[in-house]
Amino acid sequence: SKEPVVSSIGGETMTTSVNVGLVASMPDGSEPLGLEILAASLRESGHQPTIITFRGVGDLELAAQQAVSLGAPVIGVAIPSGIAALDALAFILRVRRLGFRGHITCGGAFATLCRSRLLETTPALDSVIRHHGAHALVDLVEAVVDGRDLSKLQGVTNREGDGEPTRPIDITGELDLLPEREELGRFAGVPAAKMSAVRGCWGRCDYCGLRALRKEHQHEMPRAKGIQRRPIESVADEMARLYH
C-alpha cells in the first residue's frame, strides 16, 4: 500500500513507515550525494525513500509523473543554487498541476538563504528545511503524517516563520550516515562514487554563498562550527562498502 502505515501506542497515533520522494535536477547526470544522505536518514527511521533525478526540462515531465505516482505524503526537492532553482520550481509547479496534494518541502544552500523569498513567491511550496536537514526531514515527514503542528519544528521554516533552531550536526548522528546508493555510476568504464569526509567549508571567500550560509548558521546556532569532520571510522566503512 502507498498509504501511510500507522500504529497506536498508548492512545497516540504514531507514524511507522511512509513513502517519501527526494528530487533533484542533475544536468550532468552526476550522483546526488545529498539526497543519498537524506535517504539514509529516512531509511534508518523506518521510512521508504525514493530518489528521482532529472537532467532538465526535457525529462522534467517524466520525473514529475514518477514523483506523483509514489503516493507519498511528502516530496523533498533539492535547491542548492540559483541555477538549480529554475528546474526545481518548475518541477514543483508541475507536480501540483498533476494533482499532488501532499506536502512539498525543499532544502539546500540556496533554499536556506532565500527561504522567505521562495515561500512568498511559490504558493505550491509548503516549507523549507534550513542548513543540514537529514534529521529535520524525518521530523517533518512524521509531523505531516501525524497531523501535528509544523510551525515549531527544529530546522524547518514555513509561512509562519522559522521554527526552532537547527540542531548541531555533531549531536544528531548525521555525520555517521552512509549514503544510500542504489547503484554506482561509472567514470571511464570504472565504477565510481562521490564521497565527502566533511560537512561545510573552511573558506571565507566573499563571493561564495557558503560563507553567507555559515554566518547564518552560526547566528542561529552560536556554537555551530563552520566545518565538521566525519569520524574516520565512518569514512573507512563507506570506502569498504563501496569496494566490496
Side-chain angles (χ1 to χ4, degrees), residues 62-94:
L62 177 59
Q65 291 178 5
Q66 290 175 334
V68 172
S69 71
L70 294 174
V74 176
I75 292 175
V77 184
I79 311 184
S81 67
I83 294 174
L86 300 175
D87 285 346
L89 294 176
F91 172 86
I92 290 170
L93 293 175
R94 185 58 188 153

Short mmCIF file of all heavy atoms in Angstrom, two decimals, residues 62-94:
data_model
loop_
_atom_site.label_atom_id
_atom_site.label_comp_id
_atom_site.label_asym_id
_atom_site.label_seq_id
_atom_site.Cartn_x
_atom_site.Cartn_y
_atom_site.Cartn_z
N LEU A 62 8.55 13.42 -16.99
CA LEU A 62 8.64 12.04 -16.51
C LEU A 62 8.96 12.00 -15.02
O LEU A 62 8.37 11.22 -14.27
CB LEU A 62 9.72 11.29 -17.29
CG LEU A 62 9.98 9.84 -16.86
CD1 LEU A 62 8.71 9.01 -16.99
CD2 LEU A 62 11.11 9.22 -17.69
N ALA A 63 9.87 12.87 -14.58
CA ALA A 63 10.22 12.91 -13.15
C ALA A 63 9.01 13.31 -12.31
O ALA A 63 8.77 12.74 -11.24
CB ALA A 63 11.37 13.89 -12.93
N ALA A 64 8.23 14.28 -12.79
CA ALA A 64 7.05 14.73 -12.05
C ALA A 64 6.02 13.60 -11.95
O ALA A 64 5.41 13.38 -10.89
CB ALA A 64 6.44 15.95 -12.72
N GLN A 65 5.82 12.88 -13.04
CA GLN A 65 4.86 11.77 -13.02
C GLN A 65 5.33 10.67 -12.07
O GLN A 65 4.51 10.09 -11.34
CB GLN A 65 4.68 11.23 -14.43
CG GLN A 65 3.96 12.17 -15.37
CD GLN A 65 3.83 11.62 -16.78
OE1 GLN A 65 4.19 10.48 -17.05
NE2 GLN A 65 3.33 12.44 -17.70
N GLN A 66 6.62 10.39 -12.07
CA GLN A 66 7.15 9.38 -11.15
C GLN A 66 6.94 9.80 -9.70
O GLN A 66 6.56 8.98 -8.85
CB GLN A 66 8.64 9.16 -11.42
CG GLN A 66 8.94 8.46 -12.74
CD GLN A 66 10.42 8.36 -13.01
OE1 GLN A 66 11.21 9.19 -12.53
NE2 GLN A 66 10.84 7.37 -13.78
N ALA A 67 7.18 11.07 -9.40
CA ALA A 67 7.02 11.55 -8.03
C ALA A 67 5.57 11.45 -7.57
O ALA A 67 5.29 11.00 -6.45
CB ALA A 67 7.52 12.99 -7.92
N VAL A 68 4.65 11.85 -8.42
CA VAL A 68 3.23 11.80 -8.05
C VAL A 68 2.78 10.36 -7.87
O VAL A 68 1.98 10.04 -6.97
CB VAL A 68 2.38 12.51 -9.12
CG1 VAL A 68 0.89 12.30 -8.87
CG2 VAL A 68 2.71 14.01 -9.14
N SER A 69 3.30 9.45 -8.68
CA SER A 69 2.88 8.05 -8.61
C SER A 69 3.31 7.35 -7.32
O SER A 69 2.79 6.28 -6.99
CB SER A 69 3.42 7.28 -9.82
OG SER A 69 4.83 7.08 -9.71
N LEU A 70 4.24 7.94 -6.57
CA LEU A 70 4.69 7.32 -5.33
C LEU A 70 3.59 7.29 -4.27
O LEU A 70 3.63 6.48 -3.35
CB LEU A 70 5.89 8.09 -4.76
CG LEU A 70 7.19 8.06 -5.56
CD1 LEU A 70 8.23 8.98 -4.92
CD2 LEU A 70 7.73 6.64 -5.66
N GLY A 71 2.64 8.20 -4.38
CA GLY A 71 1.62 8.30 -3.33
C GLY A 71 2.21 8.74 -2.01
O GLY A 71 1.71 8.40 -0.94
N ALA A 72 3.29 9.50 -2.07
CA ALA A 72 3.99 9.93 -0.86
C ALA A 72 3.30 11.13 -0.22
O ALA A 72 2.81 12.01 -0.94
CB ALA A 72 5.44 10.28 -1.18
N PRO A 73 3.27 11.21 1.11
CA PRO A 73 2.71 12.39 1.76
C PRO A 73 3.63 13.60 1.69
O PRO A 73 3.19 14.73 1.87
CB PRO A 73 2.52 11.95 3.21
CG PRO A 73 3.55 10.89 3.41
CD PRO A 73 3.67 10.18 2.09
N VAL A 74 4.93 13.36 1.44
CA VAL A 74 5.91 14.45 1.39
C VAL A 74 6.86 14.23 0.22
O VAL A 74 7.33 13.11 0.00
CB VAL A 74 6.73 14.54 2.70
CG1 VAL A 74 7.81 15.62 2.59
CG2 VAL A 74 5.83 14.80 3.89
N ILE A 75 7.12 15.30 -0.52
CA ILE A 75 8.17 15.30 -1.54
C ILE A 75 9.17 16.38 -1.16
O ILE A 75 8.79 17.52 -0.88
CB ILE A 75 7.59 15.59 -2.94
CG1 ILE A 75 6.71 14.42 -3.41
CG2 ILE A 75 8.72 15.83 -3.95
CD1 ILE A 75 6.02 14.68 -4.74
N GLY A 76 10.45 16.02 -1.15
CA GLY A 76 11.51 16.97 -0.87
C GLY A 76 12.29 17.27 -2.14
O GLY A 76 12.64 16.35 -2.88
N VAL A 77 12.56 18.54 -2.38
CA VAL A 77 13.23 18.96 -3.61
C VAL A 77 14.51 19.72 -3.26
O VAL A 77 14.48 20.64 -2.43
CB VAL A 77 12.30 19.86 -4.46
CG1 VAL A 77 12.98 20.23 -5.78
CG2 VAL A 77 10.97 19.17 -4.73
N ALA A 78 15.62 19.34 -3.89
CA ALA A 78 16.90 20.00 -3.63
C ALA A 78 17.00 21.30 -4.42
O ALA A 78 16.75 21.32 -5.62
CB ALA A 78 18.04 19.07 -4.03
N ILE A 79 17.38 22.38 -3.72
CA ILE A 79 17.66 23.65 -4.39
C ILE A 79 19.00 24.17 -3.85
O ILE A 79 19.05 25.05 -3.00
CB ILE A 79 16.54 24.69 -4.16
CG1 ILE A 79 15.16 24.09 -4.46
CG2 ILE A 79 16.78 25.91 -5.05
CD1 ILE A 79 14.02 25.09 -4.34
N PRO A 80 20.10 23.63 -4.36
CA PRO A 80 21.41 24.04 -3.84
C PRO A 80 21.92 25.37 -4.39
O PRO A 80 22.80 25.97 -3.79
CB PRO A 80 22.33 22.90 -4.30
CG PRO A 80 21.67 22.39 -5.54
CD PRO A 80 20.19 22.51 -5.31
N SER A 81 21.37 25.82 -5.52
CA SER A 81 21.88 27.03 -6.15
C SER A 81 20.77 27.76 -6.88
O SER A 81 19.68 27.21 -7.10
CB SER A 81 22.98 26.68 -7.16
OG SER A 81 22.42 25.96 -8.26
N GLY A 82 21.04 29.00 -7.28
CA GLY A 82 20.06 29.77 -8.04
C GLY A 82 19.75 29.14 -9.38
O GLY A 82 18.61 29.16 -9.85
N ILE A 83 20.76 28.56 -10.02
CA ILE A 83 20.53 27.88 -11.30
C ILE A 83 19.63 26.67 -11.11
O ILE A 83 18.69 26.43 -11.87
CB ILE A 83 21.88 27.48 -11.93
CG1 ILE A 83 22.67 28.73 -12.30
CG2 ILE A 83 21.66 26.60 -13.16
CD1 ILE A 83 24.07 28.46 -12.81
N ALA A 84 19.91 25.88 -10.07
CA ALA A 84 19.08 24.71 -9.79
C ALA A 84 17.65 25.09 -9.46
O ALA A 84 16.72 24.30 -9.68
CB ALA A 84 19.69 23.90 -8.65
N ALA A 85 17.45 26.30 -8.92
CA ALA A 85 16.10 26.74 -8.53
C ALA A 85 15.15 26.79 -9.72
O ALA A 85 13.95 26.54 -9.57
CB ALA A 85 16.16 28.10 -7.86
N LEU A 86 15.67 27.10 -10.91
CA LEU A 86 14.80 27.19 -12.09
C LEU A 86 14.12 25.85 -12.37
O LEU A 86 12.90 25.78 -12.52
CB LEU A 86 15.62 27.65 -13.30
CG LEU A 86 16.29 29.02 -13.17
CD1 LEU A 86 17.17 29.29 -14.39
CD2 LEU A 86 15.26 30.11 -13.00
N ASP A 87 14.91 24.79 -12.43
CA ASP A 87 14.35 23.46 -12.67
C ASP A 87 13.50 23.00 -11.48
O ASP A 87 12.44 22.40 -11.66
CB ASP A 87 15.46 22.44 -12.91
CG ASP A 87 16.08 22.57 -14.29
OD1 ASP A 87 15.50 23.26 -15.15
OD2 ASP A 87 17.15 21.98 -14.52
N ALA A 88 13.99 23.27 -10.27
CA ALA A 88 13.29 22.80 -9.07
C ALA A 88 11.89 23.41 -8.96
O ALA A 88 10.91 22.72 -8.67
CB ALA A 88 14.11 23.12 -7.82
N LEU A 89 11.78 24.71 -9.18
CA LEU A 89 10.48 25.37 -9.07
C LEU A 89 9.55 24.94 -10.20
O LEU A 89 8.33 24.79 -9.99
CB LEU A 89 10.66 26.88 -9.05
CG LEU A 89 11.40 27.43 -7.82
CD1 LEU A 89 11.62 28.92 -7.95
CD2 LEU A 89 10.65 27.10 -6.54
N ALA A 90 10.10 24.72 -11.39
CA ALA A 90 9.28 24.21 -12.49
C ALA A 90 8.74 22.82 -12.13
O ALA A 90 7.58 22.50 -12.41
CB ALA A 90 10.10 24.15 -13.78
N PHE A 91 9.58 22.00 -11.51
CA PHE A 91 9.14 20.67 -11.08
C PHE A 91 8.02 20.78 -10.05
O PHE A 91 7.00 20.07 -10.14
CB PHE A 91 10.33 19.90 -10.49
CG PHE A 91 9.94 18.60 -9.84
CD1 PHE A 91 9.83 17.45 -10.60
CD2 PHE A 91 9.66 18.55 -8.49
CE1 PHE A 91 9.45 16.26 -10.00
CE2 PHE A 91 9.27 17.37 -7.89
CZ PHE A 91 9.17 16.21 -8.64
N ILE A 92 8.19 21.65 -9.07
CA ILE A 92 7.17 21.80 -8.02
C ILE A 92 5.83 22.21 -8.62
O ILE A 92 4.78 21.66 -8.27
CB ILE A 92 7.65 22.82 -6.97
CG1 ILE A 92 8.82 22.24 -6.17
CG2 ILE A 92 6.52 23.24 -6.04
CD1 ILE A 92 9.52 23.24 -5.27
N LEU A 93 5.85 23.17 -9.51
CA LEU A 93 4.60 23.61 -10.15
C LEU A 93 3.97 22.48 -10.95
O LEU A 93 2.75 22.32 -10.96
CB LEU A 93 4.88 24.80 -11.06
CG LEU A 93 5.31 26.09 -10.36
CD1 LEU A 93 5.68 27.16 -11.38
CD2 LEU A 93 4.22 26.61 -9.43
N ARG A 94 4.82 21.68 -11.61
CA ARG A 94 4.26 20.61 -12.44
C ARG A 94 3.61 19.52 -11.60
O ARG A 94 2.53 19.03 -11.95
CB ARG A 94 5.37 20.00 -13.32
CG ARG A 94 4.84 18.95 -14.31
CD ARG A 94 3.78 19.55 -15.22
NE ARG A 94 3.14 18.53 -16.05
CZ ARG A 94 1.90 18.63 -16.52
NH1 ARG A 94 1.16 19.70 -16.22
NH2 ARG A 94 1.39 17.68 -17.26
#
